[in-house]
């Protein structure tokens, strides 16, 4: 039987370092945009119906969906989906990329001011994705009388016609509210998901699998709905108000606080949650599966 001295590895020459474990490659920058596009494609009929309810005056979601199928077929539920794809591959791709890059810049340590990073990423993404956001008119077009429709063929036709008929400034319409909402949405989606997932993995009840991703994204959807609710309610009341001074944010807040109390900021929370929750879950669960696919591809020699 050999002694421990005989079995021990020979000492390394002076100056030679032990080979360190190769650093894991970053994931492709476009992964978040693809995940958001897949999620938005699945939930598109719900979002389309929401826009048409607001534009047409219909009261019930199911009846509105039946009306769409009756008049335009099942394909009618996916009207304007090219605009949705364009927005997700600009806005969502940019916000996920900007968030990841911001984390690298500051080291993404436990003491890093994550909310500032996410707010900055949200502002950049909101600015870049704004032209895609204006294409909500693709979804609402069918709900208008035939003589008032834009009749865009697809998202690029809409962009070119908007620039030609309304000027380049039309692409920046609503950019202020869009950037502000982007800051809120990213601050309440990206960082909370990372934080909640990390905390779950510290316990003995969770592993890095579908159930953890679902649980973390479910909690994140609830946080995002709650954080964004006040801004959504105030924006809706300003847009629907009439009369002198009705467009003032401070006047709307003051009047609502006086007549309804602070709870007014969370009116419509449940419908908002029911729309945002499935989208949030689908985005993060899909993103994690895409990351697994990239890892599998790289281990099998397929560069991604």
């Amino acid at each position: 039987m050999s002694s421990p001295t005989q079995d021990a590895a020979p000492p390394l020459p002076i100056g030679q370092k032990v080979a360190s474990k190769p650093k894991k490659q970053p994931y492709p920058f476009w992964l978040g945009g693809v995940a958001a596009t897949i999620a938005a494609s699945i939930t598109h009929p719900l979002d389309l119906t929401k826009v048409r309810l607001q534009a047409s005056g219909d009261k019930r979601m199911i009846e509105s969906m039946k009306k769409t199928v009756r008049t335009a077929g099942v394909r009618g539920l996916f009207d304007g989906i090219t605009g949705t794809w364009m927005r997700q591959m600009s806005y969502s791709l940019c916000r996920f990329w900007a968030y990841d890059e911001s984390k690298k810049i500051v080291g993404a340590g436990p003491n890093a001011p994550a909310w500032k990073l996410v707010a900055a990423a949200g502002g950049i993404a909101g600015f870049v994705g704004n032209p895609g956001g204006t294409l909500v008119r693709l979804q609402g077009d069918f709900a208008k009388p035939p003589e008032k429709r834009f009749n865009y063929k697809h998202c690029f036709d809409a962009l070119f016609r908007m620039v030609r008929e309304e000027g380049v400034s039309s692409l920046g319409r609503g950019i202020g509210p869009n950037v502000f909402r982007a800051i809120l949405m990213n601050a309440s989606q990206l960082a909370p998901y990372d934080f909640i997932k990390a905390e779950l993995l510290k316990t003995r009840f969770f592993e890095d699998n579908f159930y953890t991703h679902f649980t973390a994204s479910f909690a994140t959807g609830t946080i995002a709905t709650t954080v964004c609710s006040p801004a959504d309610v105030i924006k809706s009341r300003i847009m629907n108000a009439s009369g002198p001074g009705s467009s003032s944010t401070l006047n709307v807040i003051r009047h609502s606080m006086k007549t309804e109390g602070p709870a007014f900021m969370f009116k419509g929370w449940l419908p908002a949650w029911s729309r945002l929750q499935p989208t949030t879950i689908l985005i993060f669960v899909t993103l994690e599966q895409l990351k697994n696919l990239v890892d599998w591809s790289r281990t099998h020699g397929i560069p991604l």
Side-chain angles (χ1 to χ4, degrees):
M1 187 174 182
S2 60
S3 66
T5 306
Q6 291 174 322
D7 290 340
L12 292 170
I14 297 173
Q16 183 175 341
K17 297 181 180 179
V18 179
S20 59
K21 188 178 179 181
K23 187 178 180 182
K24 187 175 181 179
Q25 286 182 275
Y27 290 105
F29 74 94
W30 42 262
L31 217 58
V34 172
T37 301
I38 294 172
S41 299
I42 296 171
T43 60
H44 184 79
L46 293 175
D47 193 48
L48 174 76
T49 304
K50 178 202 73 174
V51 171
R52 291 185 173 173
L53 282 170
Q54 294 171 341
S56 67
D58 291 343
K59 300 297 182 183
R60 295 183 177 181
M61 178 174 283
I62 300 299
E63 288 303 315
S64 180
M65 294 181 79
K66 286 181 179 178
K67 179 181 175 182
T68 299
V69 172
R70 199 163 51 242
T71 55
V74 175
R75 286 185 61 184
L77 294 173
F78 294 90
D79 282 348
I81 198 167
T82 56
T84 296
W85 291 340
M86 180 182 175
R87 174 166 169 75
Q88 297 306 326
M89 288 305 292
S90 57
Y91 166 67
S92 290
L93 186 151
C94 182
R95 73 184 182 121
F96 276 96
W97 168 80
Y99 177 60
D100 286 339
E101 291 302 311
S102 298
K103 288 196 296 183
K104 291 177 189 174
I105 291 171
V106 298
N111 298 320
W115 66 272
K116 288 185 179 180
L117 297 176
V118 180
I124 296 168
F127 182 85
V128 172
N130 199 71
T134 62
L135 298 181
V136 69
R137 55 173 72 180
L138 274 170
Q139 298 177 336
D141 206 30
F142 187 78
K144 298 177 181 178
E147 66 277 7
K148 293 185 178 180
R149 293 176 188 171
F150 293 104
N151 293 317
Y152 296 134
K153 297 175 184 177
H154 44 71
C155 64
F156 296 110
D157 179 49
L159 277 177
F160 295 143
R161 281 182 53 190
M162 284 174 67
V163 172
R164 188 171 63 246
E165 298 168 9
E166 304 171 48
V168 177
S169 61
S170 65
L171 299 180
R173 188 172 295 146
I175 197 166
N178 191 31
V179 170
F180 181 66
R181 178 173 169 76
I183 290 172
L184 287 179
M185 183 59 70
N186 285 285
S188 58
Q189 257 193 346
L190 301 183
Y193 177 79
D194 278 350
F195 175 77
I196 294 169
K197 177 186 169 185
E199 291 300 308
L200 291 175
L201 291 176
K202 290 177 184 177
T203 71
R204 59 187 179 87
F205 304 106
F206 290 91
E207 296 178 359
D208 195 358
N209 54 27
F210 170 82
Y211 302 106
T212 302
H213 306 155
F214 179 88
T215 303
S217 57
F218 186 92
T220 300
T222 303
I223 293 170
T225 304
T226 305
V227 170
C228 293
S229 180
D232 284 341
V233 171
I234 293 169
K235 187 178 86 170
S236 296
R237 294 195 175 194
I238 290 173
M239 292 175 66
N240 291 307
S242 60
S246 59
S247 61
S248 167
T249 302
L250 287 177
N251 284 345
V252 169
I253 294 174
R254 191 180 297 116
H255 176 74
S256 299
M257 287 286 287
K258 183 178 179 181
T259 56
E260 303 170 64
F264 89 90
M265 292 185 291
F266 299 97
K267 280 202 167 182
W269 185 91
L270 188 58
W273 179 83
S274 65
R275 285 201 311 270
L276 184 60
Q277 190 72 317
T279 304
T280 302
I281 292 172
L282 283 168
I283 286 174
F284 287 112
V285 168
T286 304
L287 179 60
E288 295 287 0
Q289 297 310 307
L290 288 175
K291 286 180 178 179
N292 290 340
L293 179 61
V294 170
D295 290 339
W296 180 88
S297 299
R298 288 172 174 172
T299 57
H300 287 75
I302 305 172
L304 275 178

